[in-house]
Amino acid sequence: MEHRTARKLARVERSATMALADQARSLRQSGRQVVNLAGGDPHFGTPAHVLEAARDALDEGFTHYTSSRGLPELRKAVTDRLSRKLGVTRDPDREVIITPSAKHAVFASLMAVLDPGDEVLIPTPSWVSYVQMVRLAGGQPVPVRLCADDNFTLSRERLQAKLTPRTKAIVLNYPTNPTGRVASMPELRDIAEVVAAHDLVVISDEIYEDIVFGQTVHRSPAAFPECAERTLTVSGFSKSFAMTGWRLGYVSGPREFVNAVLKVQEHSVGEAGSFIQRGGVAALLGDDAPVRRMVEQYDRHRKWAHGMLNQVPGIECALPEGAFYLFPDISALGFSDSHTCAQWLIDKAGVVVTPGSAFGPGGEGHIRLSLAPPTATVEAGFNRLCDALSTFR
Ligand code: PMP
Ligand code: GLU
């Protein structure tokens, strides 16, 4: 047998972020004192009331299948939140599905929308998995290259330049991993007009929706009238509630799309775990003080680390408006590329970072640094990194 694995996987790469997390773990196991600034995993414990709800569910024997759409009370909590916080109205019975992770929600949405060869616009820099997921779903990713010079603005012209008769969808991610950008009202209006004029489907990954700083407001594309009937909105519990290991997310949208996503979900993962969903209900309905405390800490990390980085000669770094990453431009330092810089930082400073190239061609010349580890780790990591880069030339 010549091809024992699927040909379609030949073009799919491993997750760069997950591979780096493995690398950091094995460096530690081998005794190296590395500081990991690569990961997107909040260090906080999951809030106590969420743990308690899941524990109660286990104690009650709530350990069986649920509806494949998810628990009705969780769907209701999700649609109430969408309406209250984002101005997006969806029917909890027909227009939302609880998924095992936001990652699966994005993947199932792409599976539900794409036919072979359909093109999907993916602004870059963007999260590592979108391009690979589009390929897995049989589509053709089309990078829309953004530029640090205008703070990674997704302009009408940049979008229009990449449209073809095969363009079917666009993936948006505000607040953005890795740049920390939050789309402004005029930017979203421009995007909404282009997607409506070309009848595109929008997959909007809003997993960092709660992590915005200062006066910044996150707005959902689905709240724009031109987009409401063409947008699948994805979010989840990993980032807002420090629940990465729970694997819980959701996707909402017009019925036609949600029914298609449901087929993908029913024939792949079935549904999210029953007692896990009970934790999700507590997260959405409970006190949001823990979320505010986490955001306050990311904000302190953001300001401190931004100040540190901008003192290093040759580095330029914008202050992120949301999410929990800094994405400095290191292109003036003289490394041949961001991967070389990342390897050098492991070797010389013992700091693990994500090379910008992991986020597509638009990420080259940058590195991504996480603000999600504990304060002492962030301080140690940025101190080591800034010292090392100050002496590099
Ligand atoms: N989207 C983005 C932009 C992310 O950074 C992540 C982080 N893993 C996800 C989706 C997936 O989140 P989840 O843990 O819910 O799969
Ligand atoms: N989203 C996080 C990151 O970008 C976690 C890893 C992943 O799922 O890719 O680092």
Side-chain angles (χ1 to χ4, degrees), residues 86-333:
L86 301 172
V88 176
T89 311
R90 300 291 184 203
D91 175 353
D93 294 327
R94 296 186 183 81
E95 296 181 332
V96 62
I97 300 178
I98 309 303
T99 55
S101 80
K103 191 175 261 190
H104 183 71
V106 177
F107 180 62
S109 300
L110 289 165
M111 287 289 286
V113 164
L114 297 182
D115 281 316
D118 281 347
E119 294 177 3
V120 181
L121 301 180
I122 303 182
T124 164
S126 67
W127 184 44
V128 298
S129 286
Y130 302 134
V131 166
Q132 314 303 333
M133 285 180 182
V134 167
R135 290 187 175 138
L136 282 171
Q140 181 67 38
V142 176
V144 181
R145 213 172 157 149
L146 308 184
C147 189
D149 294 346
D150 61 2
N151 202 11
F152 302 104
T153 300
L154 181 54
S155 65
R156 186 191 290 265
E157 294 71 31
R158 287 203 173 107
L159 274 178
Q160 280 167 339
K162 293 292 178 174
L163 289 168
T164 76
R166 302 226 59 167
T167 313
K168 178 79 179 280
I170 179 167
V171 179
L172 298 176
N173 168 224
Y174 295 111
T176 306
N177 174 6
T179 61
R181 270 302 313 283
V182 177
S184 66
M185 195 69 170
E187 197 174 355
L188 280 176
R189 260 200 223 108
D190 279 0
I191 298 170
E193 268 178 46
V194 175
V195 299
H198 293 83
D199 198 21
L200 305 186
V201 178
V202 179
I203 291 161
S204 178
D205 174 356
E206 299 172 33
I207 190 149
Y208 294 97
E209 61 182 305
D210 290 316
I211 306 172
V212 290
F213 306 114
Q215 302 306 310
T216 308
V217 177
H218 163 69
R219 293 186 185 84
S220 195
F224 287 72
E226 306 94 307
C227 291
E229 290 308 305
R230 59 178 72 254
T231 302
L232 280 158
T233 307
V234 170
S235 193
F237 297 75
S238 288
K239 313 292 175 177
S240 299
F241 303 99
M243 290 172 67
T244 50
W246 294 61
R247 316 309 299 131
L248 191 62
Y250 51 89
V251 52
S252 65
R255 212 161 295 184
E256 167 200 6
F257 290 114
V258 165
N259 287 342
V261 174
L262 190 63
K263 291 184 194 173
V264 180
Q265 168 131 315
E266 287 187 344
H267 295 298
S268 52
V269 289
E271 71 261 359
S274 51
F275 52 93
I276 300 286
Q277 295 187 58
R278 279 279 187 84
V281 175
L284 295 188
L285 298 185
D287 180 12
D288 69 353
V291 182
R292 275 185 273 119
R293 273 199 297 276
M294 291 189 237
V295 175
E296 278 160 22
Q297 190 184 85
Y298 300 140
D299 193 11
R300 286 195 294 277
H301 289 178
R302 166 185 84 124
K303 288 178 180 146
W304 177 80
H306 175 258
M308 288 289 291
L309 275 179
N310 280 321
Q311 281 169 31
V312 179
I315 288 197
E316 274 184 49
C317 184
L319 189 64
E321 304 156 278
F324 45 47
Y325 308 101
L326 291 186
F327 199 58
D329 182 341
I330 46 103
S331 58
L333 291 177

